[in-house]
Amino acid sequence: MKIAVIGKGNIGTLGSKWRAAGHDVVFGARDGSGEGLGGAPVPGANLFFAADPEARATAEQLISAVGLEPAFLGDATATQTVDALLPLWFALVKPNGGDRKVVLRIVR
């Protein structure tokens, strides 16, 4: 699969792992370098939704390729549910001094 990743920081980790899984990955960044630096996917950080039902299998494949377990939240009707998680995440980050390395995790 051909994948373009915008950014090389934490998101670069995903691109590097997709490349290691055999995908054709290119990176876009301000410095023009083509390699992702990486730094974040926390094991278990796996929530996703697919507005396009045909995209679900691809999303699950890409999530699995970086060592995470996909947890499908729903189709386009799940948009409000997913959007509602952002204020919760901000509420968790703020008392932690703004440290954005806070994740929500599903425990099965």
Side-chain angles (χ1 to χ4, degrees):
M1 184 179 309
K2 291 184 177 184
I3 302 170
V5 176
I6 308 298
K8 298 186 335 181
N10 294 337
I11 196 71
T13 301
L14 296 175
S16 296
K17 288 186 176 188
W18 286 327
R19 183 179 280 169
H23 297 289
D24 182 11
V25 179
V26 295
F27 296 87
R30 286 182 219 151
D31 68 6
S33 170
E35 291 298 319
L37 301 176
V42 175
N46 52 20
L47 303 174
F48 82 100
F49 81 106
D52 178 355
E54 294 180 19
R56 180 178 177 179
T58 302
E60 288 177 338
Q61 176 189 6
L62 291 172
I63 292 167
S64 297
V66 297
L68 300 175
E69 180 184 348
F72 183 63
L73 295 177
D75 57 18
T77 62
T79 303
Q80 287 183 324
T81 301
V82 174
D83 286 347
L85 290 174
L86 186 60
L88 173 61
W89 184 78
F90 282 137
L92 294 170
V93 168
K94 189 174 181 178
N96 285 293
D99 182 358
R100 296 178 298 147
K101 293 180 181 176
V102 174
V103 297
L104 302 172
R105 177 183 234 170
I106 292 178
V107 178
R108 294 183 181 182

